[in-house]
Amino acid sequence: MTELKVLLSRDEIAKRVNELAAEITRDFAGEAVIFVGVLKGAAIFLADLSRAVKLDATFDFIGVSSYGNRPSPPQELKAGWDSTGEVKLTKDVDQSMQGKNIVLVEDILDTGLTLTYLKKLLEAHQPRRLKIAALLDKPSRRKMPIQGDYVGFQIPDEFVVGYGLDYAERYRNLADICIIPRE
Ligand code: IMP
């Protein structure tokens, strides 16, 4: 059984998510917002964040996968995975985003390839405002010059799981965010 090390406890996460929600509430005061979650990793963050904001809010979800041969989970854990940058849409949003306030919700900003692609895609809908909320940020891994507007925690280049994040689809249901040691 892999030994996991807690990086961020459930209490630290809850406190920070509430702070981000307060910022979003302030920035969009009196306006309606659509939270667009990136499947599947952002589902838990979106659930907590959206319940903590005091705004007229609705949800939507978008799905992506990357082209290219993804390495086996152990290889990905060891070296991370640098895709070619080509991202494939597996599920589009269900509604028009034109003229709407959008908060794109992602679990982690790593190379930035996924959010760069999604930002461009959503901007084509001509939203009124588009903001990015990312619970985690690994700035040392960035390949594209993109930043989150609401970032929970900057973390080192470690492979993390829990609170929605997976390793080969496992551990998404952990309440804490944990590091899987690379050996
Ligand atoms: P990016 O396109 O490289 O920024 O990748 C973002 C996606 O990579 C995230 O949505 C996650 O699915 C995945 N990812 C990056 N780092 C981790 C990690 O440490 N644990 C789990 N998934 C990760």
Side-chain angles (χ1 to χ4, degrees):
M1 183 70 189
T2 317
E3 212 176 300
L4 303 176
K5 194 176 127 226
V6 175
L7 176 69
L8 299 164
S9 71
R10 66 192 77 190
D11 292 343
E12 289 173 286
I13 299 167
K15 181 168 175 279
R16 188 70 188 120
V17 170
N18 282 332
E19 288 170 0
L20 296 180
E23 268 184 63
I24 294 172
T25 301
R26 228 177 13 247
D27 290 354
F28 290 95
E31 297 180 46
V33 168
I34 306 176
F35 287 100
V36 177
V38 184
L39 293 170
K40 305 171 194 167
I44 293 176
F45 178 38
L46 185 145
D48 285 347
L49 184 70
S50 63
R51 284 181 299 169
V53 297
K54 295 180 178 61
L55 294 170
D56 175 8
T58 53
F59 299 168
D60 211 322
F61 290 93
I62 200 159
V64 285
S65 72
S66 300
Y67 287 105
N69 293 323
R70 201 168 187 120
S72 67
Q75 282 170 317
E76 183 175 4
L77 179 61
K78 208 166 150 203
W81 182 48
D82 297 341
S83 75
T84 56
E86 282 185 276
V87 182
K88 177 170 62 174
L89 198 65
T90 56
K91 188 210 164 290
D92 203 349
V93 288
D94 294 331
Q95 59 195 294
S96 164
M97 301 276 148
Q98 193 170 9
K100 306 281 175 61
N101 292 316
I102 311 297
V103 178
L104 181 57
V105 183
E106 176 63 308
D107 51 4
I108 185 165
L109 241 171
D110 187 31
T111 63
L113 294 166
T114 307
L115 279 179
T116 300
Y117 171 84
L118 288 177
K119 192 173 174 206
K120 208 167 143 198
L121 188 106
L122 291 178
E123 269 166 357
H125 285 248
Q126 298 182 303
R128 185 168 131 70
R129 284 161 80 192
L130 173 63
K131 299 280 185 184
I132 291 175
L135 180 68
L136 305 176
D137 184 6
K138 284 186 198 168
S140 64
R141 291 260 308 153
R142 198 75 90 257
K143 283 183 160 181
M144 304 295 278
I146 186 164
Q147 287 180 5
D149 299 291
Y150 310 103
V151 175
F153 304 91
Q154 291 205 340
I155 63 166
D157 181 14
E158 298 279 2
F159 197 88
V160 291
V161 293
Y163 198 74
L165 289 137
D166 76 309
Y167 172 59
E169 292 299 327
R170 294 180 61 207
Y171 305 117
R172 291 194 196 275
N173 61 326
L174 297 180
D176 303 317
I177 291 177
C178 301
I179 293 174
I180 300 192
R182 286 188 171 121
E183 307 285 301

